[in-house]
Amino acid sequence: MEFVVNQAECNQAEKKQLYLRNLKQMVLKDALFADGTKDYVQISDTKVRLHFRTGKNNVDRVNLCWGSEKLPMVKSETEGFFDYYQIDVNYPETSCKYYYEVICGKMILYYNKQGAQMQHQESYDFKIILGFHTPDWAKGAVFYQIFVDRFYNGDPDNDVEDREYIYIDQFTQKVTDWNALPEASDIRRFYGGDLKGVMDKLDYLQDLGVEVIYMNPIFVSPSNHKYDIQDYDYIDPHYGEIVCDEGECLGEDDKTNEHATKYITRVTRHENLEASNRLFARLTEEIHRRGMKIVLDGVFNHCGSFNKWMDREHIYDKNPEYAKGAYVSEDSPFKSFFNFNGGKWPNNGEYTGWWGHATLPKLNYDSKELYEYILGVAQKWLSPPYNIDGWRLDVAADLGPSPELNHQFWKDFRKAVKAVNPDALILAEHYGDPSSWLQGDEWDTVMNYDAFMEPLTWLLTGMEKHSDDYRQDMYGNADTFRSSMTYHMNAFHSESLYTAMNELSNHDHSRFLTRTNHKVGRIGTVGAEAASENLNYGIFREAVVVQMTWPGAPTVYYGDEAGVCGWTDPDNRRTYPWGQENRGLINFHKEIIRIHKENEVLKTGSYRFLDGGYQWISYGRFNRKDQMVIILNNDDHEQQLKVPVWYLGISGDMEMECVISTNEAGYYTRALTWPVERGYVNIRMERYSSVILRAKSKSRR
């Protein structure tokens, strides 16, 4: 190991003392480690066993600061460079914060999620949360997100027709060219993707290595995105099965949906609704038969103006099987489901819409009836015959009229969900600090924008995740990346971090491949073609390598693996290019997913940032058995890098073998090795390249 010591203005004796002092301090700080993984935290019914790592013979003592107590730890083991300290404490009756105090001579260091510090910062302390456990199947699981209308058309008979109904003052449009690009006003354009299409492509998804399918909303809704739910109790027959298809589409002169009889028949007749639910049950059964899981999108903050409880479009009010909607009648049993601000009936449009959108009525959770109904919806789809494996919660922090009610609802939601399936996943969409919802009694985890997508995008592309801004100062800035990732990861308990949804792209943000061109734009400003210009596949492969090796659940947005481009929505919702896929990218995804799944350390192992500089970073994933090192060179020229790997316990009697390497041209799995010299690996990295290295004993060659 090598260390830089400031020896200016020192005599020989002073130099020696300074060197020894700095050497011990640097080894001390860099060797210290603990986190929330199983190597460092083991929990039984009555005890918590904690471990802490130090440099070998490098400290005088280690104390556990457990709540208000300071407890001495015992050195239990020495291995390689490190000593391991251990202590057993009683399982807390309530949650308990803790950190470590490390004493070496007159020097005292404090260790928590922020690492080793000279001063204790309580906000970064570790925490044992009573009873908090997230599903093991979700930790590091490979998710695949499907925007159903654009994935695959398995049943043309259920396609939305031209002029089938009016949505936001315009007729629906059936897109007959699967490869046609989205338009700037795309909400009512339908390509015909459906659940039969998902069923037909399960072989493809399984071959890719997918473990969990997450689908954007699939319940009855008038838009192609379906975040404006019309009926929470049924799968949209346009995604399911239409067995009764009576009625007519609208004429050119129609201005309302009063005569949209084909649409009304399709989405209100119970034979269509029940047939669609049965198809979904068959789909979930087949997904489970293959050993995969399925997570649905729960849009519970708001519904849609077409919703049967509101019925602004008069879809239900002439059908005696349905109660009157709150827009239609003041006597509606659903009036309390919404916040009406005065107005007059019938046709009262004076209600609160989410972000002011009349098409997205905000649900009123002061209504006990609505509160219980939504909890019932959550339980229904978790129960037989559907048996979904979890919920992704749309704009979950916005639900309810106050923070107090919001938190209370999610506490009750968790109880309701876990009562049906204790192993179900509760994953929320959230921007910002999620920690108040991740205390073990509400959400399991979140879509990981702040501690994954955003910092990685800035580092590798200099782009904001919508492609709305370019920042030269953020591009290639390893220090900003490290500090941002560290800060935001500290908001997570380990149970949440290892199940967090790590995405490069999704339905709300531009495609990552498009961001590699460093262009600012949207489909309505620069056009769709510009999203596919000047792409850098080397940068894209770097990003996928990080996605598959970072703590959390890597989530592939449909088509990313096939080279789909696109600006932010609606352009990010292009169709999957069946028959025109980038086969090289698909093969790369298969390989990197295989590597992720075959190496448990990449799913549940500890994480440690190793080193970085302008346009390069290195980090490790490790446990007591295995160590892997990931290195990225995002520069436009090659770099000779020296990476400290001893932090992970990799010694000179080991060497680093290449698991996979990538560059602008593709990927390689050549059997290359690099020696470990004085705790470091010296490696020459091509421009726009990445490599995953695995430590192995020289005797295993």
Side-chain angles (χ1 to χ4, degrees):
M1 287 166 272
E2 297 177 359
F3 304 94
V4 177
V5 181
N6 181 10
Q7 298 181 5
E9 306 299 327
C10 292
N11 60 35
Q12 200 64 30
E14 289 172 333
K15 286 181 181 180
K16 183 176 181 179
Q17 289 182 345
L18 181 60
Y19 176 81
L20 293 174
R21 184 167 66 251
N22 284 4
L23 177 64
K24 190 165 188 177
Q25 182 172 342
M26 293 184 74
V27 172
L28 170 65
K29 292 188 69 173
D30 290 334
L32 303 182
F33 189 81
D35 63 9
T37 63
K38 292 180 180 179
D39 279 347
Y40 295 92
V41 180
Q42 289 118 35
I43 298 176
S44 66
D45 291 338
T46 60
K47 296 285 185 180
V48 177
R49 173 167 291 180
L50 299 172
H51 299 264
F52 187 77
R53 191 190 80 179
T54 73
K56 182 178 178 181
N57 299 323
N58 196 220
V59 307
D60 295 327
R61 61 184 183 275
V62 178
N63 295 320
L64 169 68
C65 299
W66 178 256
S68 60
E69 297 182 272
K70 184 179 292 187
L71 307 171
M73 300 184 74
V74 176
K75 185 191 296 187
S76 59
E77 185 181 357
T78 297
E79 182 180 13
F81 303 134
F82 307 121
D83 291 332
Y84 292 88
Y85 287 74
Q86 176 180 308
I87 190 171
D88 289 346
V89 292
N90 292 327
Y91 197 95
E93 294 183 4
T94 58
S95 300
C96 185
K97 287 187 174 183
Y98 66 97
Y99 63 98
Y100 300 95
E101 180 184 75
V102 182
I103 301 170
C104 182
K106 295 182 179 180
M107 182 170 58
I108 300 177
L109 291 174
Y110 304 94
Y111 194 97
N112 56 19
K113 288 192 286 186
Q114 188 73 353
Q117 305 292 321
M118 298 298 292
Q119 293 184 339
H120 173 225
Q121 299 181 60
E122 182 181 355
S123 58
Y124 295 110
D125 285 352
F126 297 109
K127 191 175 185 180
I128 296 293
I129 299 179
L130 185 66
F132 187 27
H133 179 72
T134 58
D136 287 337
W137 62 260
K139 293 182 173 75
V142 178
F143 282 64
Y144 190 89
Q145 179 184 349
I146 297 177
F147 191 88
V148 178
D149 182 61
R150 309 296 163 85
F151 185 61
Y152 186 66
N153 189 345
D155 181 8
D157 291 338
N158 63 16
D159 292 356
V160 174
E161 300 291 342
D162 286 335
R163 301 195 314 276
E164 186 173 323
Y165 54 97
I166 292 171
Y167 188 58
I168 312 182
D169 302 322
Q170 293 185 33
F171 294 119
T172 57
Q173 179 183 349
K174 178 179 180 178
V175 182
T176 57
D177 178 5
W178 181 258
N179 297 312
L181 295 174
E183 297 178 356
S185 180
D186 193 65
I187 193 171
R188 61 191 68 78
R189 299 174 73 249
F190 296 87
Y191 287 71
D194 49 34
L195 297 187
K196 177 64 163 53
V198 176
M199 183 86 81
D200 290 347
K201 295 300 181 180
L202 287 179
D203 283 347
Y204 166 75
L205 297 177
Q206 192 166 25
D207 185 55
L208 189 64
V210 171
E211 296 173 291
V212 186
I213 295 172
Y214 154 52
M215 290 194 288
N216 290 107
I218 60 174
F219 303 115
V220 181
S221 309
S223 67
N224 54 35
H225 60 66
K226 300 201 176 299
Y227 284 95
D228 45 1
I229 305 298
Q230 183 172 329
D231 191 337
Y232 289 94
D233 292 309
Y234 294 102
I235 305 301
D236 195 317
H238 297 96
Y239 283 179
E241 289 188 359
I242 298 174
V243 295
C244 177
D245 205 12
E246 301 171 353
E248 303 294 332
C249 292
L250 294 171
E252 292 286 357
D253 296 329
D254 281 309
K255 304 298 182 184
T256 70
N257 285 312
E258 182 180 356
H259 302 299
T261 53
K262 176 180 278 287
Y263 180 72
I264 292 172
T265 296
R266 284 180 160 189
V267 300
T268 67
R269 292 284 289 265
H270 284 285
E271 50 263 57
N272 292 333
L273 299 171
E274 295 295 345
S276 298
N277 281 9
R278 288 194 295 272
L279 174 64
F280 179 67
R282 294 197 297 274
L283 174 61
T284 59
E285 182 180 19
E286 178 61 21
I287 288 171
H288 289 148
R289 187 188 70 79
R290 294 167 180 259
M292 303 161 73
K293 305 284 187 182
I294 180 169
V295 171
L296 290 189
D297 215 318
V299 189
F300 302 135
N301 167 69
H302 56 272
C303 63
S305 57
F306 278 58
N307 191 282
K308 62 185 179 183
W309 301 330
M310 176 65 76
D311 199 20
R312 184 174 180 131
E313 297 295 321
H314 297 275
I315 301 298
Y316 300 92
D317 71 333
K318 294 179 181 178
N319 189 331
E321 295 182 12
Y322 292 89
K324 294 293 183 181
Y327 176 83
V328 176
S329 172
E330 187 174 11
D331 297 326
S332 169
F334 311 119
K335 179 184 174 184
S336 67
F337 287 20
F338 308 97
N339 291 298
F340 283 93
N341 308 308
K344 296 181 180 179
W345 281 269
N347 302 339
N348 187 350
E350 297 297 320
Y351 55 83
T352 301
W354 186 59
W355 281 25
H357 295 294
T359 55
L360 302 174
K362 188 152 172 47
L363 293 170
N364 174 30
Y365 281 87
D366 283 329
S367 167
K368 293 182 179 179
E369 291 80 6
L370 172 71
Y371 197 106
E372 294 300 324
Y373 198 105
I374 294 298
L375 295 181
V377 168
Q379 291 185 318
K380 170 180 177 174
W381 297 102
L382 288 158
S383 303
Y386 313 111
N387 300 308
I388 70 168
D389 300 287
W391 287 101
R392 178 267 187 189
L393 306 172
D394 187 58
V395 293
D398 290 6
L399 181 142
S402 67
E404 293 75 19
L405 194 146
N406 179 280
H407 283 289
Q408 185 57 56
F409 177 81
W410 292 125
K411 292 178 196 297
D412 291 337
F413 184 89
R414 184 180 187 85
K415 292 175 184 176
V417 164
K418 301 295 183 176
V420 175
N421 180 2
D423 218 23
L425 181 68
I426 303 173
L427 185 155
E429 177 194 26
H430 186 68
Y431 298 84
D433 185 355
S435 56
S436 64
W437 289 274
L438 299 179
Q439 297 302 310
D441 55 354
E442 297 183 48
W443 310 337
D444 283 326
T445 191
V446 296
M447 300 178 75
N448 200 1
Y449 291 120
D450 290 357
F452 185 77
M453 183 192 283
E454 189 90 70
L456 187 62
T457 291
W458 287 121
L459 174 75
L460 296 183
T461 71
M463 299 298 300
E464 184 268 342
K465 60 184 178 293
H466 283 290
S467 292
D468 283 343
D469 190 21
Y470 173 76
R471 292 271 303 273
Q472 182 66 43
D473 62 315
M474 300 283 276
Y475 182 39
N477 192 325
D479 288 339
T480 298
F481 171 80
R482 178 183 184 178
S483 61
S484 181
M485 283 291 207
T486 301
Y487 175 80
H488 291 296
M489 288 169 72
N490 284 337
F492 290 83
H493 187 279
S494 289
E495 289 290 322
S496 297
L497 180 64
Y498 285 82
T499 54
M501 180 178 277
N502 290 347
E503 295 184 294
L504 299 175
S505 321
N506 64 24
H507 62 291
D508 283 328
H509 305 97
S510 61
R511 295 273 183 170
F512 190 93
L513 187 54
T514 288
R515 285 176 234 152
T516 68
N517 66 14
H518 312 301
K519 290 184 179 180
V520 173
R522 293 199 177 204
I523 188 173
T525 58
V526 297
E529 293 75 14
S532 303
E533 297 173 351
N534 302 314
L535 305 176
N536 189 316
Y537 288 92
I539 294 176
F540 180 63
R541 292 187 187 92
E542 290 177 60
V544 176
V545 165
V546 177
Q547 182 184 43
M548 294 295 166
T549 57
W550 201 263
T555 302
V556 178
Y557 183 44
Y558 81 102
D560 266 12
E561 80 280 14
V564 175
C565 297
W567 302 113
T568 196
D569 60 284
D571 197 38
N572 53 15
R573 302 166 185 177
R574 299 184 185 188
T575 52
Y576 187 100
W578 300 108
Q580 301 177 37
E581 307 95 325
N582 184 322
R583 297 303 310 181
L585 284 183
I586 290 177
N587 290 336
F588 166 60
H589 274 81
K590 287 183 182 179
E591 187 66 19
I592 196 70
I593 289 173
R594 179 192 64 78
I595 291 168
H596 172 85
K597 292 168 65 176
E598 289 182 357
N599 290 276
E600 182 63 28
V601 71
L602 295 179
K603 303 181 76 169
T604 60
S606 297
Y607 156 84
R608 172 71 187 263
F609 189 88
L610 298 177
D611 202 358
Y614 178 67
Q615 294 291 9
W616 75 276
I617 62 168
S618 60
Y619 59 94
R621 298 296 305 278
F622 63 105
N623 54 32
R624 294 292 299 276
K625 179 182 177 182
D626 298 305
Q627 304 86 31
M628 302 186 82
V629 173
I630 299 89
I631 307 171
L632 275 67
N633 175 26
N634 195 51
D635 211 344
D636 61 1
H637 64 274
E638 67 177 28
Q639 295 198 62
Q640 183 71 36
L641 302 176
K642 186 176 183 178
V643 178
V645 298
W646 72 269
Y647 298 167
L648 312 181
I650 300 172
S651 61
D653 61 351
M654 306 179 80
E655 61 186 4
M656 305 303 297
E657 63 176 349
C658 176
V659 177
I660 189 171
S661 62
T662 74
N663 59 19
E664 293 173 279
Y667 70 96
Y668 309 92
T669 54
R670 295 172 293 199
L672 301 176
T673 60
W674 288 264
V676 178
E677 300 175 345
R678 297 170 63 85
Y680 287 76
V681 165
N682 288 278
I683 184 169
R684 181 171 293 277
M685 297 288 294
E686 297 178 75
R687 53 181 270 161
Y688 303 121
S689 67
S690 65
V691 66
I692 302 176
L693 305 175
R694 177 169 46 212
K696 70 172 185 177
S697 172
K698 290 180 181 178
S699 62
R700 288 167 49 197
R701 295 182 61 179

